Amino acid sequence: MRSVCMYFQVHQPYRLRTYRFFDIGADHHYYDDYQNRYLIRRIAEKCYLPANNLLLDLINKHNRKFKVSFSISGVALQQFIEYAPEVITSFQKLAATGNVEFLAETYAHSLVALKSKTEFIRQIKMQVDLINELFGQKPTAFRNTELVYSDEIGEMVNELGFKVMLAEGAKHILGWKSPNFLYNNSYQPNLKVLLRNFRLSDDIAFRFSEQSWSEWPLTAEKYVDWINAVDPKQPVVNLFMDYETFGEHQWKETGIFDFLNDLPGKAFTNSDIIFRTPSELSDLLESVGSIHVPFPASWADEERDLTAWLGNELQDEAFDTLYNLTQKVRQVQDPSIKRDWLFLQSSDHFYYMCTKWFSDGEVHKYFNPYNTPYEAFINYMNVLSDFSIRVDNWLAENPDSPEETIGKAYVNIANSIKKEAKSVENELKKKMAGKINDFNNLLEMSDKELKKVIKDIDADQIAAAIKDLGEEVEERFKKLASPKNRARLEELKNDAVDFTKKKVTEGRKAIFEQWKSFSK
Amino acid sequence: MKVLMFGWEFPPHITGGLGTACYGLTRGLAKHNTDVIFVVPKAFGDEDTSKIRLVNASDIEIDTRESIYHDLWKRIEYMEIGSNIIPYISPEEFENRQVIEELEHRKDEKSVLGRKYEFSGKYGTNLFEEVARYALVASAVAASRDYDLIHAHDWLTYPAGIAAKKVSGKPLVVHIHATEFDRSGERVNQQVYDIEREGMMEADKVIAVSNLTRNICIERYGIPAEKIVTVHNAVEPTGKEELQAGRAVKEKIVTFLGRITYQKGPEYFVEAARKVLDRDPNVRFVMAGQGDLLNKMIKRVAKLHMSSKFHFTGFLRGEEVDRMLAMTDVFVMPSVSEPFGIVPLEAMRSNVPVVISKQSGVSEILKYALKVDFWDVNAMADAIYSLLNYKALPEMFKKYGKEEVDNLKWENAAEQVKAVYDSLFK
């Protein structure tokens, strides 16, 4: 008996609008709403809705023996809710059959597993909650963005209580081993690992409509024969692919829906194939051993590594700049900042910056809004600059948020100094506008201001100006005067020098003039 | 294989990219076993003739009593020079030259048909006269030499190329380094246009320096597409030591370097500068060059209140250009129409990241450069700002840009030209 595990990836990022550097600090909307709506609606009509309907029919037609699994990113679900709610309804119908398993992944379809465990866990929880809310399932199987897997990532996933994780059956991981067995994580044997059979998966996902391919046209019958040709001792064939394969990457006209329609029927009549989901398989099969993946591997390109998203100078700078904000963003309570933090993490943004395919970028041009990786980088960095300013501003404006950091304390001090300087200035202006002839107004100035005003005034003039204003005023002026003036004031007082009315007026006038020149 | 090649200038006596390109091409062809007889209107004697045989048209005697010359002469009527046809030259240089030319021009018109004719080999007032005479000489050279095909560079030499073809019956290749539309915008000189078109029509194959230029030949001159092959220019390694110019200012420097004429798009550079300065005051802009739009640019810069951050250097030459590039952080070429555009390559070779317009031939071959539409001032400003502020980008361009330029070898371009030659004999 041979198990076949079909899992489809559903993900669409929030694509960014053209965001110029002069938008930084001025405009905080980052997304190309029109384009996102258009793409979601288009893919919904060409792929998600017809493919879901077909799967629902197949499940019902084959007496619920046909099973599939989905991983739908949080940002994709969010866009369905926003732009195509009927897609959600359609997935709910599938969920209701009981034959569809929904997997957990990171909400933002991010590569955060490589950067922050806390944030990784947070995003998975968000995603699990959303799946539970929409489809009434609490995922027990996990798949990471782009099937990125390493021993360490597996260990984290195990800690979160998942029993099985999906990964790429890359040659450089497996060596002579076959992807058609169940394995386990090399640190935590409790976590089972299912590996993608990339040849059979890509026969559908990439080669199906390739007329130069020697096997074209591919029929369900032929395909089932290939599955049956796998060594009988190997218990499972994992077919993992993007859901957009059906109707979008491979257009309806290529016959891809007919192929899918025929597949379960042929599987049931010509062989003893059973369709199963990842969690079922992890309960059913025994692990044949642990799989060692010291460096993260993915399902992309020939290299099956991370170089589609990370590695060139642009990607690394953008990625590091983004995740350097992790600590700060954690303190922010603002919902729009929280939301953008997630949307900006989608791996697609880094994928667009890849320079590997300068020559043949056909596969990667798909849905790519940028002509060159540089444009992708520039646009993303502009957005990130604005985002970073918003985070800093929020933290400055909300000094009481729980985790006080040294960085934030600095920001606060700097800002309070700025604020104080501003208020001095304003007050001075306000007073200028008022009755400047009343000398008593002068006395309302703060010490700081007054000190500044009388700094360059002759001590005799000061002494004259404050004649008859009382001990308190005298003391204050003495305190604020320059050391030299202070001595002279002391002297005049000791000598009990009297001032004529004229001298008093002149002294006050001098201080007034000085005050005026400062407030200009 | 032996090629009879007609050019208008040859290093070191050059006013622009044409002579340099011809020099690079002939050296590249030598590596592919192709000998070149290079005919210039005036040879000065200090040209590098290690790889080619240089023929000085001024030395060629022709017997004007022979009827063939009279027939030709009827076809190439005496032409007065227009004002707008100067290809690679600054207006001030042009004015200086005009004075000299006027003195020389007192020669009798008949001298064109004399036994010998002293070419100036410049782009002066009697340019058309020289072009015509050059064609006569070409036929004399064509009749007396042994070669397999004829190759003519730019319109000045097309009459010569056509004449040589008529005399010898050998196939003709014309090479388009620039069209009249690149030099004059929409106000084309009809005479020049006609010569260009005739050259392309008479030619067996046309080589264009970019797809951009190729398309102009197809769309504006009605030349059949299958007749035109694009061969991108290359650059000769300079062998110069890298200049470490000490910079006098602490701000970063963004540079425009080229003729300040409509075709080079200086106004877009000015507008982009304002946008960048609004956000980042820590930048200075430099516009190096001369041209009829210079005064307009100075006024515009003043109007935008950035004269203290925007500097005009006037015409730079030789080492001054190298020094300018050495202190530049971002080089911008916002050309409205640029058949190829060699300066960004020189900038990249000096480790300077570049922003170039999509309307330039060189943008077709560069990967490590930011490309924007010349009119998209926002995108241009954004590109400049990014290169100044997001360090990964200039670092990447410096790392790979020099290598990319070093790989644009004349040897490879010449191989493609050789393939064009070979196609004529199949």
Side-chain angles (χ1 to χ4, degrees), chain A residues 262-285:
Chain A
D262 295 347
L263 189 63
K266 294 286 178 219
F268 295 136
T269 50
N270 294 1
S271 62
D272 56 355
I273 286 173
I274 294 180
F275 290 90
R276 295 195 200 271
T277 68
S279 292
E280 285 181 331
L281 284 169
S282 74
D283 293 339
L284 190 78
L285 298 176

mmCIF file of all heavy atoms in Angstrom, chain A residues 262-285:
data_model
loop_
_atom_site.group_PDB
_atom_site.id
_atom_site.type_symbol
_atom_site.label_atom_id
_atom_site.label_comp_id
_atom_site.label_asym_id
_atom_site.label_seq_id
_atom_site.Cartn_x
_atom_site.Cartn_y
_atom_site.Cartn_z
ATOM 1 N N ASP A 262 -8.703 13.666 -13.094
ATOM 2 C CA ASP A 262 -8.551 12.230 -13.373
ATOM 3 C C ASP A 262 -7.688 11.516 -12.342
ATOM 4 O O ASP A 262 -7.736 10.296 -12.220
ATOM 5 C CB ASP A 262 -7.897 12.030 -14.754
ATOM 6 C CG ASP A 262 -8.788 12.544 -15.876
ATOM 7 O OD1 ASP A 262 -9.977 12.802 -15.588
ATOM 8 O OD2 ASP A 262 -8.296 12.702 -17.009
ATOM 9 N N LEU A 263 -6.845 12.285 -11.633
ATOM 10 C CA LEU A 263 -5.800 11.671 -10.814
ATOM 11 C C LEU A 263 -6.336 10.689 -9.750
ATOM 12 O O LEU A 263 -5.908 9.528 -9.724
ATOM 13 C CB LEU A 263 -4.935 12.767 -10.187
ATOM 14 C CG LEU A 263 -3.673 12.282 -9.484
ATOM 15 C CD1 LEU A 263 -2.719 11.597 -10.462
ATOM 16 C CD2 LEU A 263 -2.963 13.430 -8.791
ATOM 17 N N PRO A 264 -7.281 11.102 -8.880
ATOM 18 C CA PRO A 264 -7.719 10.154 -7.840
ATOM 19 C C PRO A 264 -8.362 8.912 -8.442
ATOM 20 O O PRO A 264 -8.098 7.784 -7.991
ATOM 21 C CB PRO A 264 -8.744 10.959 -7.023
ATOM 22 C CG PRO A 264 -8.688 12.357 -7.507
ATOM 23 C CD PRO A 264 -7.932 12.395 -8.777
ATOM 24 N N GLY A 265 -9.182 9.112 -9.481
ATOM 25 C CA GLY A 265 -9.861 7.980 -10.116
ATOM 26 C C GLY A 265 -8.858 6.945 -10.592
ATOM 27 O O GLY A 265 -8.967 5.752 -10.311
ATOM 28 N N LYS A 266 -7.852 7.407 -11.316
ATOM 29 C CA LYS A 266 -6.825 6.498 -11.834
ATOM 30 C C LYS A 266 -6.071 5.840 -10.673
ATOM 31 O O LYS A 266 -5.740 4.652 -10.734
ATOM 32 C CB LYS A 266 -5.809 7.260 -12.702
ATOM 33 C CG LYS A 266 -6.406 7.820 -13.966
ATOM 34 C CD LYS A 266 -6.684 6.737 -15.003
ATOM 35 C CE LYS A 266 -7.320 7.356 -16.238
ATOM 36 N NZ LYS A 266 -8.393 6.518 -16.817
ATOM 37 N N ALA A 267 -5.817 6.632 -9.639
ATOM 38 C CA ALA A 267 -5.074 6.092 -8.502
ATOM 39 C C ALA A 267 -5.849 4.973 -7.834
ATOM 40 O O ALA A 267 -5.284 3.954 -7.442
ATOM 41 C CB ALA A 267 -4.776 7.206 -7.503
ATOM 42 N N PHE A 268 -7.167 5.141 -7.732
ATOM 43 C CA PHE A 268 -7.972 4.138 -7.032
ATOM 44 C C PHE A 268 -8.218 2.909 -7.885
ATOM 45 O O PHE A 268 -8.315 1.797 -7.375
ATOM 46 C CB PHE A 268 -9.306 4.737 -6.575
ATOM 47 C CG PHE A 268 -9.129 5.822 -5.536
ATOM 48 C CD1 PHE A 268 -9.849 7.008 -5.619
ATOM 49 C CD2 PHE A 268 -8.247 5.661 -4.478
ATOM 50 C CE1 PHE A 268 -9.686 8.003 -4.672
ATOM 51 C CE2 PHE A 268 -8.082 6.652 -3.532
ATOM 52 C CZ PHE A 268 -8.801 7.831 -3.629
ATOM 53 N N THR A 269 -8.330 3.087 -9.223
ATOM 54 C CA THR A 269 -8.656 1.926 -10.047
ATOM 55 C C THR A 269 -7.430 1.102 -10.419
ATOM 56 O O THR A 269 -7.471 -0.106 -10.421
ATOM 57 C CB THR A 269 -9.381 2.347 -11.352
ATOM 58 O OG1 THR A 269 -8.620 3.390 -11.951
ATOM 59 C CG2 THR A 269 -10.791 2.806 -11.061
ATOM 60 N N ASN A 270 -6.320 1.776 -10.700
ATOM 61 C CA ASN A 270 -5.160 1.038 -11.201
ATOM 62 C C ASN A 270 -4.209 0.572 -10.105
ATOM 63 O O ASN A 270 -3.219 -0.062 -10.391
ATOM 64 C CB ASN A 270 -4.350 1.901 -12.172
ATOM 65 C CG ASN A 270 -5.151 2.180 -13.430
ATOM 66 O OD1 ASN A 270 -6.292 1.745 -13.541
ATOM 67 N ND2 ASN A 270 -4.550 2.882 -14.357
ATOM 68 N N SER A 271 -4.424 0.970 -8.869
ATOM 69 C CA SER A 271 -3.423 0.642 -7.857
ATOM 70 C C SER A 271 -4.035 0.738 -6.467
ATOM 71 O O SER A 271 -5.203 1.034 -6.309
ATOM 72 C CB SER A 271 -2.259 1.601 -7.968
ATOM 73 O OG SER A 271 -2.733 2.908 -7.712
ATOM 74 N N ASP A 272 -3.203 0.530 -5.466
ATOM 75 C CA ASP A 272 -3.729 0.591 -4.097
ATOM 76 C C ASP A 272 -3.247 1.864 -3.387
ATOM 77 O O ASP A 272 -2.882 1.842 -2.229
ATOM 78 C CB ASP A 272 -3.326 -0.653 -3.312
ATOM 79 C CG ASP A 272 -1.819 -0.854 -3.300
ATOM 80 O OD1 ASP A 272 -1.117 -0.070 -3.998
ATOM 81 O OD2 ASP A 272 -1.350 -1.757 -2.614
ATOM 82 N N ILE A 273 -3.212 2.938 -4.133
ATOM 83 C CA ILE A 273 -2.765 4.206 -3.558
ATOM 84 C C ILE A 273 -3.799 4.737 -2.565
ATOM 85 O O ILE A 273 -5.011 4.680 -2.807
ATOM 86 C CB ILE A 273 -2.544 5.234 -4.681
ATOM 87 C CG1 ILE A 273 -1.252 4.887 -5.432
ATOM 88 C CG2 ILE A 273 -2.475 6.666 -4.121
ATOM 89 C CD1 ILE A 273 -1.012 5.721 -6.663
ATOM 90 N N ILE A 274 -3.276 5.245 -1.434
ATOM 91 C CA ILE A 274 -4.148 5.895 -0.460
ATOM 92 C C ILE A 274 -3.677 7.324 -0.257
ATOM 93 O O ILE A 274 -2.479 7.572 -0.117
ATOM 94 C CB ILE A 274 -4.111 5.156 0.900
ATOM 95 C CG1 ILE A 274 -4.724 3.765 0.730
ATOM 96 C CG2 ILE A 274 -4.865 5.947 1.965
ATOM 97 C CD1 ILE A 274 -4.726 2.971 2.004
ATOM 98 N N PHE A 275 -4.604 8.256 -0.287
ATOM 99 C CA PHE A 275 -4.227 9.653 -0.048
ATOM 100 C C PHE A 275 -4.277 9.951 1.442
ATOM 101 O O PHE A 275 -5.257 9.618 2.110
ATOM 102 C CB PHE A 275 -5.183 10.595 -0.809
ATOM 103 C CG PHE A 275 -4.969 10.529 -2.306
ATOM 104 C CD1 PHE A 275 -5.676 9.630 -3.092
ATOM 105 C CD2 PHE A 275 -4.051 11.376 -2.917
ATOM 106 C CE1 PHE A 275 -5.462 9.560 -4.461
ATOM 107 C CE2 PHE A 275 -3.842 11.312 -4.294
ATOM 108 C CZ PHE A 275 -4.560 10.404 -5.075
ATOM 109 N N ARG A 276 -3.207 10.565 1.933
ATOM 110 C CA ARG A 276 -3.157 10.872 3.356
ATOM 111 C C ARG A 276 -2.600 12.271 3.582
ATOM 112 O O ARG A 276 -1.925 12.844 2.731
ATOM 113 C CB ARG A 276 -2.278 9.872 4.104
ATOM 114 C CG ARG A 276 -2.825 8.463 4.089
ATOM 115 C CD ARG A 276 -2.117 7.637 5.137
ATOM 116 N NE ARG A 276 -2.242 6.222 4.879
ATOM 117 C CZ ARG A 276 -3.240 5.476 5.337
ATOM 118 N NH1 ARG A 276 -4.203 6.008 6.066
ATOM 119 N NH2 ARG A 276 -3.292 4.181 5.077
ATOM 120 N N THR A 277 -2.852 12.760 4.793
ATOM 121 C CA THR A 277 -2.350 14.088 5.141
ATOM 122 C C THR A 277 -1.122 13.940 6.049
ATOM 123 O O THR A 277 -0.904 12.861 6.621
ATOM 124 C CB THR A 277 -3.435 14.903 5.870
ATOM 125 O OG1 THR A 277 -3.665 14.302 7.141
ATOM 126 C CG2 THR A 277 -4.715 14.961 5.073
ATOM 127 N N PRO A 278 -0.326 14.991 6.218
ATOM 128 C CA PRO A 278 0.915 14.892 6.994
ATOM 129 C C PRO A 278 0.707 14.353 8.408
ATOM 130 O O PRO A 278 1.467 13.485 8.851
ATOM 131 C CB PRO A 278 1.414 16.332 7.028
ATOM 132 C CG PRO A 278 0.910 16.919 5.759
ATOM 133 C CD PRO A 278 -0.430 16.293 5.536
ATOM 134 N N SER A 279 -0.307 14.842 9.114
ATOM 135 C CA SER A 279 -0.485 14.393 10.500
ATOM 136 C C SER A 279 -0.857 12.914 10.560
ATOM 137 O O SER A 279 -0.381 12.178 11.428
ATOM 138 C CB SER A 279 -1.558 15.230 11.197
ATOM 139 O OG SER A 279 -1.078 16.544 11.353
ATOM 140 N N GLU A 280 -1.688 12.472 9.618
ATOM 141 C CA GLU A 280 -2.027 11.046 9.558
ATOM 142 C C GLU A 280 -0.775 10.209 9.363
ATOM 143 O O GLU A 280 -0.569 9.186 10.020
ATOM 144 C CB GLU A 280 -2.962 10.771 8.372
ATOM 145 C CG GLU A 280 -4.394 11.211 8.571
ATOM 146 C CD GLU A 280 -5.246 10.873 7.341
ATOM 147 O OE1 GLU A 280 -4.707 10.832 6.216
ATOM 148 O OE2 GLU A 280 -6.437 10.652 7.527
ATOM 149 N N LEU A 281 0.080 10.675 8.449
ATOM 150 C CA LEU A 281 1.285 9.906 8.131
ATOM 151 C C LEU A 281 2.217 9.811 9.337
ATOM 152 O O LEU A 281 2.841 8.782 9.564
ATOM 153 C CB LEU A 281 2.027 10.550 6.953
ATOM 154 C CG LEU A 281 1.390 10.313 5.585
ATOM 155 C CD1 LEU A 281 2.033 11.206 4.532
ATOM 156 C CD2 LEU A 281 1.534 8.841 5.183
ATOM 157 N N SER A 282 2.294 10.913 10.080
ATOM 158 C CA SER A 282 3.219 10.884 11.219
ATOM 159 C C SER A 282 2.744 9.913 12.287
ATOM 160 O O SER A 282 3.538 9.347 13.033
ATOM 161 C CB SER A 282 3.394 12.283 11.802
ATOM 162 O OG SER A 282 2.248 12.660 12.517
ATOM 163 N N ASP A 283 1.419 9.690 12.362
ATOM 164 C CA ASP A 283 0.898 8.700 13.306
ATOM 165 C C ASP A 283 1.070 7.274 12.772
ATOM 166 O O ASP A 283 1.299 6.337 13.518
ATOM 167 C CB ASP A 283 -0.598 8.939 13.552
ATOM 168 C CG ASP A 283 -0.847 10.253 14.288
ATOM 169 O OD1 ASP A 283 0.104 10.749 14.938
ATOM 170 O OD2 ASP A 283 -1.971 10.796 14.185
ATOM 171 N N LEU A 284 0.961 7.176 11.463
ATOM 172 C CA LEU A 284 0.888 5.869 10.826
ATOM 173 C C LEU A 284 2.250 5.220 10.615
ATOM 174 O O LEU A 284 2.450 4.040 10.837
ATOM 175 C CB LEU A 284 0.190 6.043 9.467
ATOM 176 C CG LEU A 284 -0.214 4.793 8.722
ATOM 177 C CD1 LEU A 284 -1.496 4.234 9.341
ATOM 178 C CD2 LEU A 284 -0.441 5.119 7.243
ATOM 179 N N LEU A 285 3.206 6.049 10.176
ATOM 180 C CA LEU A 285 4.486 5.479 9.757
ATOM 181 C C LEU A 285 5.520 5.535 10.876
ATOM 182 O O LEU A 285 5.477 6.394 11.740
ATOM 183 C CB LEU A 285 5.030 6.245 8.544
ATOM 184 C CG LEU A 285 4.188 6.206 7.268
ATOM 185 C CD1 LEU A 285 4.832 7.087 6.205
ATOM 186 C CD2 LEU A 285 4.028 4.777 6.766
#
